[in-house]
Amino acid sequence: TWTNLGKATGDDGRDGADGADGKDGADGDSMFQSVTQDAENVYFTLADGSIITVPKSDPEKAKIIQFADPRVKKICIQQWDSDGDNELSYEEAAAVTDIGSIFKGKSISTFVEFQYFTGLTEIPASAFANCGILQIVLPPNLITIGENAFSSCNVYGTLVIPDRVETIKESAFSGCRDLKVLVLGLNIKKIEAYAFTYSNSSAAGRFPIPFSKVYCKSRVVPAMSSFTSNNYRNAFYNDEGDRLDCLYVPVSCKQEYMNNAVCAKQFKKI
């Protein structure tokens, strides 16, 4: 702390006395007793005995992804550890162009490192279905999120759809009822049926994920699946009583969203 550092420099950290007749002034009290190091850290021992530990940077370690969930790390290394070092580097992650269904049904909790898989342009159908995932950050170069990609997962909190995503396919996030905030990216063009709904086992039909806020950054209203006749194939809701409260859109195109019949049916306020 600043207090400890102040004590370590002597009384109130005063400067040394001025030198007389051109002589050098006396040195102030030293801040450090000693500086030592080992393979991992450098240790600064202050005048009062306090020790400050500063980790050394490791250029090789900086290239390795540090996974929060060891189960995710194990899967990724089994699939994409091309150099056999039992680690996954950012370069190895970026080289992946298809994840297939290797995560489907797996019990994983956190995959925020998914954002480093920058070579992916599509999440395949059912890629993470029934995997119980709680937190995820999507990679930035996605264009398509496939059918049932995250169905029956427990993704919660805020979901940000990257700006390059154009299509969210049917039931992509169906059953992710703990999501609270949705941010749709700049280039979203199509949201298919049941993309953000869930089924209630105690009642017939599907219901909207109870988002507290939905933001859409696109300046063009995306096509949203809506019911025809008795076929309730809506992107966000089951019937008019289940509409979401509000959709936040760019001010410059608010009227375009308000004039869109499908959009108005799925949100009470724009």
Side-chain angles (χ1 to χ4, degrees), residues 58-66 88-92:
D58 183 346
E60 290 304 314
K61 190 173 182 179
K63 299 176 183 178
I64 302 301
I65 296 175
Q66 304 300 314
L88 194 76
S89 68
Y90 292 96
E91 184 178 357
E92 287 169 330

Side-chain angles (χ1 to χ4, degrees), residues 20-201:
D21 300 327
K23 294 182 179 179
D24 292 337
D27 292 335
D29 293 339
S30 175
M31 185 174 179
F32 301 108
Q33 286 186 14
S34 64
V35 179
T36 58
Q37 63 179 316
D38 58 24
E40 299 292 330
N41 303 298
V42 177
Y43 304 96
F44 297 88
T45 303
L46 305 182
D48 67 350
S50 301
I51 298 175
I52 298 175
T53 303
V54 179
K56 293 180 178 179
S57 63
D58 183 346
E60 290 304 314
K61 190 173 182 179
K63 299 176 183 178
I64 302 301
I65 296 175
Q66 304 300 314
F67 288 91
D69 187 335
R71 291 163 295 188
V72 173
K73 179 178 180 178
K74 182 178 179 180
I75 294 170
C76 290
I77 288 174
Q78 288 174 342
Q79 296 293 321
W80 302 301
D81 177 20
S82 59
D83 61 7
D85 64 351
N86 207 37
E87 299 285 356
L88 194 76
S89 68
Y90 292 96
E91 184 178 357
E92 287 169 330
V96 177
T97 57
D98 183 7
I99 61 171
S101 59
I102 63 169
F103 293 101
K104 183 179 179 180
K106 300 292 194 305
S107 179
I108 61 178
S109 62
T110 301
F111 196 7
V112 295
E113 304 83 8
F114 192 38
Q115 64 186 298
Y116 304 125
F117 286 66
T118 54
L120 291 175
T121 58
E122 179 176 4
I123 298 178
S126 302
F128 291 95
N130 299 295
C131 71
I133 196 166
L134 297 177
Q135 290 180 297
I136 194 162
V137 179
L138 301 178
N141 295 321
L142 290 177
I143 296 174
T144 303
I145 299 176
E147 184 174 332
N148 292 300
F150 293 92
S151 65
S152 300
C153 286
N154 296 319
V155 179
Y156 73 90
T158 298
L159 175 66
V160 178
I161 304 298
D163 284 338
R164 295 188 180 186
V165 171
E166 297 179 1
T167 303
I168 301 173
K169 292 194 173 182
E170 184 168 325
S171 300
F173 294 92
S174 177
C176 298
R177 57 188 298 178
D178 291 326
L179 283 171
K180 300 303 180 186
V181 177
L182 173 65
V183 181
L184 297 165
L186 283 169
N187 289 308
I188 188 68
K189 293 179 171 59
K190 186 178 183 181
I191 305 173
E192 295 187 359
Y194 313 135
F196 296 101
T197 64
Y198 71 91
S199 296
N200 188 333
S201 59

